[in-house]
Amino acid sequence: MRNDYYTVLGVERDASLEEIKKCYRKLAMQYHPDRNPGNKEAEEKFKEAAEAYEVLCDSEKRQIYDRFGHEGLNGMGFRGFSGVDDIFSSFSDIFGDIFGFGGGRSRSRTAARPGADLRYDLEISFMEAAFGTTKDVDIQKYETCQECNGTGALPGTAPETCPRCRGRGQVTQTSGFFSISSTCPQCRGEGRIITDPCRTCRGTGRSLMKKTVSIKIPAGVEPGSRLRLRGEGEQGDFGGPWGDLYVFLDVKPHEFFQRSQDDVVCRMSISLAQAALGARIDVPTLEGTEKLKIPKGTQPGKLFRLKGKGIPHLRGYGRGDQIIETTVVVPTDLNRKQEALLKEFAKLRGESID
């Protein structure tokens, strides 16, 4: 069970960004791994504080967290930090503020980093959710630049080794009683400098590209379901794994059917005579029309069930049922003969209509 982010940082729920940043600075200084070597508890607190700061300093993530808590963040693909190096890589600017130089630490420029996860919102029809389908969608994501093959340098040139860190991506500085390896401020941890950047990717080595992804939607998915396509996110750095693509499904309502778990519910109107005398009526189902027997004396609101005519079970075999609610329609356009017959019927039953 993860702790409340506001409690972790020791701030009120209406705290300003400056207050959040100030409290995080204090905790980062207190639990910094270089100040607590080998202390696993301090490392966990350091990671917990960083995760809280990551959410509360981002207006979109903070709004989702305030409304839906940790589950809401999980739904948008936020997974926190995998390790301490992740934190230093993400927050090199704030560590620079804390320690007075370009970052608290940095991973080696050759350390693998996973790619970012992506989100795609997809609307499907009621029938597509019931029986499954395959959708081809276009997404945009950053991949290796085709112009420079990922070097970031103008074709015909090559990156140069950084003269300050000599290609390590890190510089070591001493502050008081401990030494810290920090991101090289000249090459920003890359260990190399690009003097002639690629015009397409502007030296980043990656460019925004469109890709068509085939999404297989299983039968029986519910509105709000989330599908995970592994490896369809953005490309990782230095050989790191690709991120994932999270597809959030929105199901359009049907004009006739409603869903109740794996059952489908509908309403059928029958006449006064059909309700009293009984009848066989045609009922639309997900896969055509079925005959339904209406017994004599059926009352308004009577429920009938067609076994196995509902939604296929998402995890397992079989299907739900179709539930039909009957409504009795009272005629409003009787002619004289029909009125006379109804009056005779009421008279035979001893019912007063005057």
Side-chain angles (χ1 to χ4, degrees):
M1 182 71 68
R2 285 185 284 181
N3 293 325
D4 176 73
Y5 288 145
Y6 292 97
T7 303
V8 169
L9 295 183
V11 298
E12 299 295 331
R13 299 192 77 85
D14 59 352
S16 67
L17 181 60
E18 199 55 43
E19 289 176 299
I20 291 170
K21 193 171 184 179
K22 181 180 178 181
C23 290
Y24 176 54
R25 280 198 193 101
K26 181 180 177 181
L27 293 174
M29 177 72 82
Q30 181 180 351
Y31 296 115
H32 193 288
D34 287 336
R35 282 192 162 183
N36 303 272
N39 188 333
K40 289 294 182 183
E41 183 179 355
E43 182 177 324
E44 287 304 313
K45 288 183 178 295
F46 185 73
K47 289 164 60 177
E48 186 179 48
E51 183 177 317
Y53 177 73
E54 163 76 359
V55 172
L56 299 186
C57 73
D58 183 300
S59 59
E60 181 182 2
K61 290 178 183 175
R62 184 176 181 180
Q63 186 178 19
I64 291 173
Y65 177 70
D66 287 344
R67 291 184 62 191
F68 305 110
H70 294 291
E71 287 300 317
L73 295 172
N74 293 339
M76 66 179 292
F78 177 72
R79 296 179 296 185
F81 296 100
S82 59
V84 171
D85 282 340
D86 257 352
I87 299 168
F88 288 121
S89 176
S90 297
F91 301 139
S92 59
D93 57 340
I94 196 170
F95 286 116
D97 292 344
I98 295 172
F99 298 104
F101 43 87
R105 242 192 214 179
S106 174
R107 67 180 74 208
S108 165
R109 72 179 183 88
T110 57
R113 284 175 282 186
D117 293 333
L118 299 177
R119 172 176 178 151
Y120 189 91
D121 295 302
L122 179 63
E123 186 180 61
I124 58 176
S125 70
F126 187 93
M127 291 299 187
E128 288 172 332
F131 296 109
T133 187
T134 299
K135 293 281 191 179
D136 290 335
V137 302
D138 292 330
I139 62 172
Q140 287 190 319
K141 59 181 179 177
Y142 284 95
E143 295 189 357
T144 300
C145 176
Q146 302 298 309
E147 184 71 18
C148 64
N149 291 322
T151 66
L154 192 70
T157 67
E160 300 175 359
T161 301
C162 175
R164 181 161 183 175
C165 66
R166 298 181 182 179
R168 294 189 305 113
Q170 299 177 348
V171 292
T172 302
Q173 299 201 32
T174 302
S175 177
F177 57 87
F178 57 91
S179 297
I180 300 176
S181 295
S182 61
T183 303
C184 174
Q186 188 165 348
C187 66
R188 298 181 180 179
E190 292 295 317
R192 58 183 189 170
I193 296 174
I194 300 173
T195 55
D196 297 306
C198 170
R199 295 189 181 95
T200 301
C201 67
R202 298 179 181 178
T204 63
R206 290 190 288 183
S207 56
L208 193 61
M209 302 181 68
K210 185 174 76 171
K211 180 179 180 181
T212 300
V213 178
S214 185
I215 302 172
K216 185 176 181 180
I217 300 169
V221 293
E222 296 184 7
S225 296
R226 184 187 72 175
L227 305 179
R228 181 183 183 183
L229 279 68
R230 294 184 181 274
E232 290 294 351
E234 292 193 342
Q235 186 176 5
D237 292 329
F238 309 120
W242 289 70
D244 300 327
L245 172 64
Y246 289 88
V247 181
F248 289 78
L249 300 178
D250 182 30
V251 180
K252 290 185 286 188
H254 195 274
E255 59 184 11
F256 182 69
F257 298 113
Q258 290 183 326
R259 181 169 179 169
S260 175
Q261 296 183 343
D262 286 343
D263 293 334
V264 291
V265 181
C266 65
R267 285 185 175 183
M268 290 293 295
S269 297
I270 57 176
S271 69
L272 190 62
Q274 289 173 323
L277 303 175
R280 290 179 65 86
I281 63 172
D282 290 329
V283 176
T285 71
L286 297 179
E287 297 178 289
T289 302
E290 291 281 333
K291 287 287 187 181
L292 177 66
K293 182 179 179 180
I294 304 296
K296 293 180 180 180
T298 293
Q299 299 299 308
K302 172 72 175 178
L303 300 180
F304 296 91
R305 185 180 295 267
L306 294 176
K307 289 284 189 180
K309 295 298 181 180
I311 305 288
H313 298 316
L314 181 60
R315 297 176 180 86
Y317 299 100
R319 295 170 58 169
D321 301 330
Q322 179 168 336
I323 300 170
I324 303 104
E325 179 184 0
T326 54
T327 59
V328 178
V329 179
V330 177
T332 58
D333 56 350
L334 297 176
N335 57 35
R336 289 183 179 180
K337 184 177 181 180
Q338 291 168 335
E339 285 184 0
L341 289 172
L342 274 179
K343 288 178 180 180
E344 181 65 21
F345 173 75
K347 181 179 180 181
L348 291 173
R349 291 185 57 85
E351 298 172 352
S352 175
I353 58 173
D354 294 331

